[in-house]
Amino acid sequence: MHLLHIDSSIQGEFSVSRRLTARAAAAWRAAHPDGTVTYRDLGAEPLPHLDAVAAQARMTPPDQHTPAQREAWQLSERLVDEVKQADAVLLGLPLYNYGAPSSVKSWVDHLTVAGLSYDPTSQQGLLSHCNFIVLASRGGGYGEGTPRNGWDHAEPWLPHGLSLTGMAPRFITAELTLAPVVPAMAELVPLHEASLAAAEKEIDNLWTPVAAQR
């Protein structure tokens, strides 16, 4: 069994999404002690944005690629292969300016390539095999009935962005993560703590530890 663990937060040790992905990775290891893990940190080492060279590489036969096009194509091959090799994928998804981090958008752009992640003729996704868990964090509250209901454009976008690949994310979300550090949100700390506890509980139930299986 193989896990692909991806972080994207730029907040380092203060990141809630990193805390959640670390917890999920530990749970996965406990359930798969002989498994292997690939780790990618989009926050510390962001991928290049999709540019004209990468776009042209997708419309040019590989044997006719320029050196720059070949490099862009090989990056997509590596990223797609990371997912193909994984039985489970963990993605940390913080909310920045009401959307996904640009590093996650770049990952999706480089991952969505005809012939690599989906069949160009049938439009069949080639990455539907993996268990795709998204650990999301949001500084505020964006649920139904809140003043900013619908302002979270990361969670609704990701399934659409990856739809061609066949990857179907399952979201586990912790809200109001700024409440402990923003004085104006102090009264929301209990709601944040409840949201975080619920997310952690859901993570802990994702996989059964080997010890519990015996």
Side-chain angles (χ1 to χ4, degrees), residues 181-202:
V181 296
V182 175
M185 297 176 65
E187 64 180 17
L188 300 175
V189 168
L191 291 177
H192 157 66
E193 292 175 342
S195 177
L196 182 60
E200 291 175 339
K201 181 178 180 180
E202 189 171 354

Side-chain angles (χ1 to χ4, degrees), residues 61-140:
D63 60 356
Q64 298 178 26
H65 281 168
T66 66
Q69 290 171 349
R70 185 178 306 112
E71 182 178 356
W73 181 261
Q74 289 174 345
L75 173 59
S76 286
E77 285 183 319
R78 288 197 302 275
L79 296 171
V80 170
D81 190 60
E82 285 180 353
V83 176
K84 284 184 175 179
Q85 297 302 317
D87 299 286
V89 177
L90 298 176
L91 172 66
L93 184 70
L95 187 71
Y96 292 158
N97 297 314
Y98 312 112
S102 62
S103 59
V104 174
K105 178 62 165 61
S106 293
W107 179 68
V108 170
D109 287 342
H110 285 289
L111 203 64
T112 308
V113 183
L116 295 182
S117 60
Y118 69 94
D119 185 289
T121 302
S122 67
Q123 301 293 294
Q124 181 70 35
L126 304 177
L127 304 180
S128 60
H129 68 285
C130 66
N131 182 17
F132 185 27
I133 308 295
V134 179
L135 291 313
S137 62
R138 304 189 289 220

